Amino acid sequence: MRFALSPEQTDFGASLRKLLEAGRAPAAVRAWASGDSGPGRALIRQLAEAGVLGLAVAEEHGGIGAEPIDLVVAFLEIGRAAVPGPLVETAAVIPALLQALPDQEPAARWLPGFVEGTALGTVAFASPGSVALDADTAEVVLLAGEQQLSLGHRTGLVRSVDPARRLFTVAAAETVAEGDGVDAAAAAGFDTGALACAAQLLGAGKALLHASTEYAKQRKQFGKPIGEFQAVKQKLADVLIALDLAEPLLYRAALTMTEATRSRDVSAAVIACGDAAYRAARTALQVHGAIGYTAEYDLSLWLTKVTALRSAWGTPDLHRARIARALREDTDSDRAARGIA
């Protein structure tokens, strides 16, 4: 199995990076946190024009119908730039969920607007503590689970450590679909969202490492850049190793989205990328010192983003439990196949 990107995918990622750098993402993040979604939505429309919001959408609904690995490439850059808004939900979760339903009317109803960037969507899952991101901004709010998919309405605001992530509890309103197929579709949507979130985390971790490395080259102590001190070099090297080791797990998860190991591989990617990004955040804070704690400094946008995303699509404990359960099932199946009690 090949865990390296093709030249076309590398070029796609590079083009998105240039687009987002020119789009002044930090200013859009701060505006979004203050309640002004204008700059953020303008940036999202540019992503739509680049094809990002149509990657997971089939051609019959106006999308590109690309592979999950292409979605990963896009969300690496979205995470690197800390772009605000319910992009995971709009570009990954809802397309996967709706297209897995037996009835394609909901997909035909909403996905073309997502692809064009004229509408945003968000979703909550019917489990304790589940919330919907930016339900006050999104045009489509869904509540999935318990064999029912419904349009939802927000009922209460939930505070996030990341000011740019406005979370809301959601109550069901109009029923969109129901039956056994809804739970399977919701599971596909959840795993696709977790994959995109893992890619965001890895991209944010890479951005934090770059910021820390550049700062260590400029900040002087005792007459020389702090990047020349072995202790600082070692911490940055540890971050680089963690990010590099997490990347193949992310690509493997993208390549096995249609296989039986999907949930296990996605959970492994979420844990590895989340741990690596968290290490990058802690190291960035240590390297930057006191300035890293200030909300006015751009580093804070990535620090809070990583902290929030680590549990946005399932806590580390939840994903470790999914891996353990999958490994037990594999062991039991192997023992049964060999006739071992």
Side-chain angles (χ1 to χ4, degrees):
M1 186 175 289
R2 180 177 170 82
F3 292 156
L5 299 178
S6 68
E8 293 79 12
Q9 289 164 339
T10 301
D11 290 344
F12 177 52
S15 68
L16 290 180
R17 192 178 310 174
K18 290 181 181 178
L19 182 155
L20 293 171
E21 287 174 351
R24 299 178 66 234
V29 175
R30 287 196 164 87
W32 196 284
S34 68
D36 178 9
S37 63
R41 294 196 74 135
L43 197 56
I44 291 170
R45 283 193 294 273
Q46 291 182 54
L47 289 173
E49 291 170 3
V52 171
L53 302 191
L55 289 172
V57 178
E59 293 182 12
E60 63 189 273
H61 300 307
I64 298 173
E67 298 296 324
I69 189 67
D70 299 307
L71 195 68
V72 162
V73 171
F75 274 93
L76 274 166
E77 299 308 324
I78 288 169
R80 195 191 300 268
V83 182
L87 283 168
V88 169
E89 293 77 2
T90 301
V93 181
I94 297 179
L97 193 164
L98 295 184
Q99 291 174 132
L101 292 173
D103 180 7
Q104 288 296 287
E105 191 279 329
R109 177 180 175 187
W110 290 311
L111 294 187
F114 292 175
V115 172
E116 296 170 1
T118 56
L120 296 176
T122 190
V123 60
F125 291 87
S127 59
S130 181
V131 292
L133 175 65
D134 295 316
D136 59 336
T137 303
E139 284 78 14
V140 180
V141 181
L142 298 176
L143 179 64
E146 299 180 355
Q147 299 187 1
Q148 183 171 318
L149 178 67
S150 307
L151 281 171
H153 61 88
R154 64 183 190 273
T155 56
L157 178 65
V158 178
R159 185 178 297 276
S160 171
V161 68
D162 180 4
R165 289 179 59 83
R166 294 173 58 82
L167 305 174
F168 294 86
T169 54
V170 175
E174 173 191 341
T175 298
V176 174
E178 55 187 346
D180 294 340
V182 173
D183 286 350
F190 179 87
D191 283 341
T192 306
L195 177 70
C197 180
Q200 270 190 300
L201 281 163
L202 189 65
K206 289 176 178 287
L208 286 164
L209 176 60
H210 176 74
S212 301
T213 303
E214 293 303 308
Y215 186 79
K217 292 177 183 178
Q218 301 169 10
R219 177 74 167 88
K220 290 187 177 181
Q221 191 64 266
F222 304 112
K224 59 181 181 180
I226 62 172
E228 294 184 14
F229 295 113
Q230 187 62 36
V232 176
K233 289 181 181 179
Q234 188 64 56
K235 284 188 175 295
L236 294 174
D238 287 344
V239 172
L240 177 61
I241 290 169
L243 293 170
D244 283 350
L245 290 177
E247 197 160 11
L249 289 175
L250 178 64
Y251 294 157
R252 177 185 174 84
L255 293 170
T256 59
M257 285 296 285
T258 59
E259 299 181 13
T261 59
R262 180 189 74 196
S263 295
R264 182 199 68 187
D265 294 341
V266 166
S267 288
V270 170
I271 291 171
C273 294
D275 288 351
Y278 187 61
R279 179 187 286 270
R282 287 179 60 87
T283 299
L285 199 54
Q286 291 175 316
V287 169
H288 283 78
I291 194 173
Y293 287 90
T294 61
E296 294 77 14
Y297 193 61
D298 283 351
L299 185 74
S300 66
L301 305 179
W302 280 265
L303 296 178
T304 55
K305 182 75 70 180
V306 165
T307 303
L309 288 179
R310 279 193 84 203
S311 59
W313 288 91
T315 64
D317 285 347
L318 180 147
H319 287 288
R320 288 189 175 92
R322 294 211 311 172
I323 294 171
R325 182 166 58 251
L327 293 176
R328 283 196 301 271
E329 291 172 355
D330 288 346
T331 300
D332 291 344
S333 298
D334 182 59
R335 289 170 64 90
R338 292 188 293 166
I340 301 174

